[in-house]
Amino acid sequence: MTHDLSHERFETLKREFEAIDGDGDGFITEAELRSHFPDLPPEAIGALDRDADVDADGRFSLEEFIRLTGARD
């Protein structure tokens, strides 16, 4: 997945991911999404969980985040 991105694009997405990952544990939780995007409706969170949380662990890894952004080089 990430091997298809340019180094520059990957680094940009990684910085964006880290800005949302408030506790720096390498995952974005629902609480971190709500904190970073306070106006995001609950339906959007549900859609993210269904569509992007591939391993269904209730949080987003960097790879899932990149997939979620629809990142293209």
Side-chain angles (χ1 to χ4, degrees), residues 9-73:
R9 180 69 175 140
F10 174 78
E11 290 300 320
T12 297
L13 290 170
K14 185 177 176 188
R15 282 192 302 274
E16 291 171 4
F17 177 88
E18 290 169 346
I20 300 169
D21 179 18
D23 61 8
D25 69 350
F27 296 94
I28 297 174
T29 63
E30 182 177 325
E32 289 168 331
L33 280 174
R34 290 189 189 284
S35 175
H36 199 76
F37 303 103
D39 296 328
L40 195 63
E43 303 81 33
I45 297 287
L48 290 173
D49 284 340
R50 279 190 313 277
D51 298 338
D53 186 12
V54 176
D55 58 9
D57 65 353
R59 56 193 188 164
F60 301 99
S61 66
L62 177 59
E63 184 174 335
E64 289 169 327
F65 177 78
I66 289 172
R67 189 177 297 122
L68 171 66
T69 65
R72 288 176 179 71
D73 216 1

